[in-house]
Amino acid sequence: MLYITRRDTFAASHRLHNPALSDEENARLYGKCNWTNGHGHNYVLEVTVAGEVSPRTGMVCNLATLKQVMRERVVDKVDHRHLNFDVEFLCGINPTSENVAVAIWRELELHIPQGRLFRVRLFETENNVVDYYGPAGCGIPGGPGQSQDL
Ligand code: NI
C-alpha cells in the first residue's frame, strides 16, 4: 500500500459560535474565532489517497486529476468565502477545523480518481492541524470499518 498526498491552500473567514452556550462561554471557548463579524485564516488542505501502484501508469493516483477534484469540490467553493454563510456543503455547521475536515471528507470521498481517500488533513494555522481518517477511523490500515481486501 502506498500513500500519496496533494496539498492546496485557501483563505476563508469563519465565526465559531455555539448558540446553546452563552455569549460569555462562546467568547471564552473560541477566543478570536468568536469575534462577532468573524475573522480569517490561511488554511492548508492535504488530501492523502491510499492504493497500489498501477502497472500501466506507475501511479497510485493521478495527482493532476486529484488536484482538479480538490479544486472543483472544495477549494473553489471555500476560497475567499465566509465559511458560515457562503458554502453549501458547510451549511448549518459550526466551522471548527474538525467539522470542516469531516465535511471536506464527505465532499471528496466518492470522487477520488484512483485508490481510496485515506486522510484529510487541515491546517487552520501553522501550529493547529486536524487529521480525519473517515468514519470510525476506517482510513487507518486495519482500522474498524475497513474492508478485508484493502
Ligand atoms: Ni478562527
Side-chain angles (χ1 to χ4, degrees):
M1 183 73 67
L2 289 92
Y3 303 87
I4 191 163
T5 300
R6 167 73 195 176
R7 178 181 178 276
D8 210 333
T9 62
F10 60 93
S13 302
H14 74 168
R15 183 190 186 213
L16 304 184
H17 186 84
N18 180 348
L21 304 177
S22 70
D23 287 351
E24 293 72 24
E25 285 173 300
N26 273 293
R28 202 163 44 240
L29 182 60
Y30 297 125
K32 292 177 184 174
C33 293
N34 182 243
W35 285 353
T36 305
N37 295 318
H39 74 162
H41 291 282
N42 293 315
Y43 290 90
V44 177
L45 172 64
E46 293 178 359
V47 172
T48 300
V49 171
E52 299 298 343
V53 176
S54 160
R56 190 172 67 85
T57 64
M59 297 173 175
V60 169
C61 177
N62 187 324
L63 285 178
T65 312
L66 181 60
K67 169 188 171 181
Q68 191 179 353
V69 169
M70 288 167 62
R71 285 273 165 90
E72 287 177 3
R73 296 205 57 84
V74 177
V75 175
D76 290 348
K77 295 177 180 177
V78 294
D79 192 28
H80 289 82
R81 298 290 185 163
H82 197 304
L83 302 183
N84 296 69
F85 304 115
D86 299 333
V87 183
E88 198 172 337
F89 76 81
L90 297 174
C91 186
I93 288 174
N94 188 20
T96 61
S97 46
E98 293 92 328
N99 284 339
V100 173
V102 171
I104 288 172
W105 176 285
R106 291 178 181 151
E107 278 296 295
L108 294 175
E109 185 178 12
L110 302 178
H111 300 272
I112 299 302
Q114 296 103 33
R116 65 184 171 83
L117 183 56
F118 175 73
R119 182 182 69 192
V120 169
R121 169 171 275 185
L122 185 66
F123 289 82
E124 190 173 80
T125 70
E126 281 185 17
N127 298 319
N128 296 348
V129 57
V130 60
D131 287 330
Y132 185 54
Y133 291 89
C138 65
I140 298 171
Q146 185 174 339
S147 65
Q148 295 302 310
D149 59 345
L150 292 174

